[in-house]
Amino acid sequence: MIPRVWAPDASSVTLVLGDSHVQMARDGAWWSGPELTHGTDYAFSVDEGPARPDPRSAWQPHGVHGPSRVFDPDVHVWRSTWGGIDVLGKVLYELHVGTFTPEGTLVAAADRLDELVHLGVDVVELMPLAPFDGDRGWGYDGVGPYGVHQAYGGPAALQHFVDTAHGLGLGVCLDVVHNHLGPSGNYLSTFGPYFTDRHRTPWGDAVNLDGPGSDEVRRWLIGSALRWFSDFRVDALRLDAVHELHDDSPVHVLAELSDAVASLSSDAGRPLSLVAETDLNDVVSITPTSAGGWGMSAQWADDVHHALHALLTGEQHGYYVDFGTPAALRTVMRGAFLHTGGWSTFRASDWGRPVPAGTDGHRFVVSDQNHDQVGNRATGDRPSAALDPDRLAASAALLLLSPFTPMLFMGEEWGATTPWAFFTSYESDELADAVRTGRAAEFSGHDWGAVTVPDPQARSTFSSSMLDRTEAGRRPHARMLEWYRSLVALRRAVPDLASGDLAATDLTWSGPDASNGPWEGVLVLSRGAARVLVRLGAGPEVTVALPSDAGALDVALAWGAYRVEPDRVALGGGAVVVLVPADGGDD
């Protein structure tokens, strides 16, 4: 590797090799040094300042403050042949490497991938792997967008993970953060104008995408994305909070990235996908770049989570305030967004735009659990802390048989009871105190009641967030795991349930239009000719009449007590029944 670094305003840049210092040669705004071999430690000193890591470092074995190490991606000999996978309509599975196994490494996670194959998962989504301060954390405070956290095994371990996944028929999606860097170990401003105060984000100055020097910053970001596809052979990237990528350029950086990925996909001969996390409720993210959009393959649609969660739990504080009714659930099942230009109480403004007719529902990634919706609760409690198995089963059916691209969160398939809390391991006492204080203040309001927020810096907070895999073999978890497997298999087998046709989706209900607590009543999700019948609540049987034009329907899957009559189904308390066309549906 020829070490090169962009430092447009520097008078000198020195390559630091242990105790040796080598003056680097200037070429315009770039500086270069002698060739280094795989495994060599190095750093850069700008204008005789402290030695700093490479902004494009792939490997930080000494932590985010130490020197970088040369990583040659061609050292790995790929074992698997892989034609790629399109994530649209597939079943995704989000996991955090540090808490997925007791070892907390990519190699250990790879050893567990056969479990996901048995579940029926198509694509594993890894939470961010960029190096961050300390050994434990969520990864959204990473400071090296080109690197892999050493505690997880470093970059070679990621290649091993992807190779193993592909050998098992699983795709890999990597969560990446381009909208900010973490507060500890971020030395980019030493080298150039990577940030600007022209725009602000929740984390401070924005990444410089449209000011002086922004051309190189854009290349830096886009280059980091492309290398995951080329050097590590991942299949998709999930882009964190793209609404915080502030860019007034004629071509938005996301559109530029999309076109670059499309070109690489053509050259590689396999699908490559980009999935945007955005709360704008606007399909600009998935609109083709040729039509003025950002060209993403898909986007997260959190409104589906909010509608399910609020209806099942009765929670309506914070951003759940406009949800919690069957009408809200119907709206999102038919169009992904609740707010489509009307008033958002939580935001205190009009919000969003409608999803155009004909949009493929698979362009929206939805979940009933994910790292945000669990970990950003006061105690990191999962839905299993509030919902009985019947409601968990109902939630799974409505999610996995929806017209969207469903994503599961690690452990939900067996109704995991372990919390998944917010945890950090900052080495700076000042940062540690700040995160403790900030986290406690965030949940001090009346909406959360009297709760004790776990100390993010305590190792016990991290340890308690690890999955307890022994649960999966015990009742009632084993039954839940089989339910998830069956739902995934049914989605794959029945065309009506696999379809992303929003126009062929509807939701009806019998019961109250609103509730002051968890909603009780009957929901009927229609997916073409297929029907998903859900009984929420206890009490005597409730009958659901079947439409006369539905044709012959068979019970494909059921949870709880039910009876089938010629033109109706009687549901016991907590029952879920999936009816599919007797001929399997149209091909």
Side-chain angles (χ1 to χ4, degrees), residues 10-64:
S11 299
S12 68
V13 179
T14 303
L15 179 65
V16 180
L17 303 169
D19 294 332
S20 300
H21 292 69
V22 179
Q23 193 65 37
M24 300 180 72
R26 183 168 198 156
D27 181 11
W30 284 83
W31 302 76
S32 60
E35 187 169 2
L36 304 177
T37 58
H38 176 78
T40 302
D41 287 354
Y42 70 102
F44 300 125
S45 170
V46 176
D47 293 333
E48 301 183 356
R52 298 304 188 196
D54 185 351
R56 286 174 166 78
S57 173
W59 197 357
Q60 289 296 127
H62 308 289
V64 297

Side-chain angles (χ1 to χ4, degrees), residues 87-88 274-276 285-286 296-300 362-365:
V87 303
L88 299 188
L274 295 171
V275 180
S285 63
I286 57 174
M296 303 283 105
S297 311
Q299 70 174 71
W300 277 28
H362 291 161
R363 303 292 294 275
F364 302 97
V365 175

Side-chain angles (χ1 to χ4, degrees), residues 179-181 199-206 241 243-246 279:
N179 51 58
H180 75 289
L181 270 73
H199 305 289
R200 296 288 293 176
T201 75
W203 309 282
D205 288 351
H243 47 276
E244 296 296 348
L245 290 170
H246 300 285
D279 74 347

Side-chain angles (χ1 to χ4, degrees), residues 114-299:
D114 58 332
E115 298 172 5
L116 304 189
V117 173
H118 190 206
L119 177 59
V121 168
D122 298 299
V123 179
V124 181
E125 180 170 317
L126 298 171
M127 286 179 60
L129 302 179
F132 56 84
D133 188 23
D135 61 352
R136 59 189 186 274
W138 282 17
Y140 293 95
D141 55 353
V143 294
Y146 282 69
V148 178
H149 192 48
Q150 183 64 19
Y152 298 156
L158 177 58
Q159 289 181 316
H160 169 78
F161 181 93
V162 174
D163 210 356
T164 303
H166 287 172
L168 293 170
L170 292 169
V172 178
C173 176
L174 177 61
D175 193 340
V176 295
V177 182
H178 293 158
N179 51 58
H180 75 289
L181 270 73
S184 180
N186 174 9
Y187 299 112
L188 289 180
S189 295
T190 300
F191 297 95
Y194 283 88
F195 300 94
T196 176
D197 59 6
R198 295 179 63 249
H199 305 289
R200 296 288 293 176
T201 75
W203 309 282
D205 288 351
V207 176
N208 177 22
L209 301 173
D210 55 11
S214 61
D215 287 350
E216 288 297 345
V217 177
R218 293 165 74 97
R219 291 189 188 100
W220 171 74
L221 276 185
I222 292 171
S224 74
L226 295 179
R227 70 185 301 275
W228 300 120
F229 292 122
S230 57
D231 292 349
F232 297 88
R233 300 192 182 183
V234 304
D235 302 284
L237 298 178
R238 182 262 191 188
L239 310 178
D240 181 65
V242 298
H243 47 276
E244 296 296 348
L245 290 170
H246 300 285
D247 185 7
D248 294 332
S249 304
V251 177
H252 196 281
V253 68
L254 291 176
E256 187 178 347
L257 171 60
S258 293
D259 288 342
V261 170
S263 177
L264 180 60
S265 175
S266 177
D267 291 344
R270 63 186 178 97
L272 302 175
S273 303
L274 295 171
V275 180
E277 183 204 18
T278 168
D279 74 347
L280 299 178
N281 282 28
D282 191 333
V283 295
V284 64
S285 63
I286 57 174
T287 299
T289 59
S290 59
W294 297 344
M296 303 283 105
S297 311
Q299 70 174 71

Side-chain angles (χ1 to χ4, degrees), residues 394-419:
S395 185
L398 292 169
L399 172 77
L400 285 166
L401 304 183
S402 73
F404 307 111
T405 294
M407 186 182 75
L408 309 179
F409 183 57
M410 60 177 195
E412 81 161 88
E413 67 270 27
W414 67 73
T417 61
T418 48

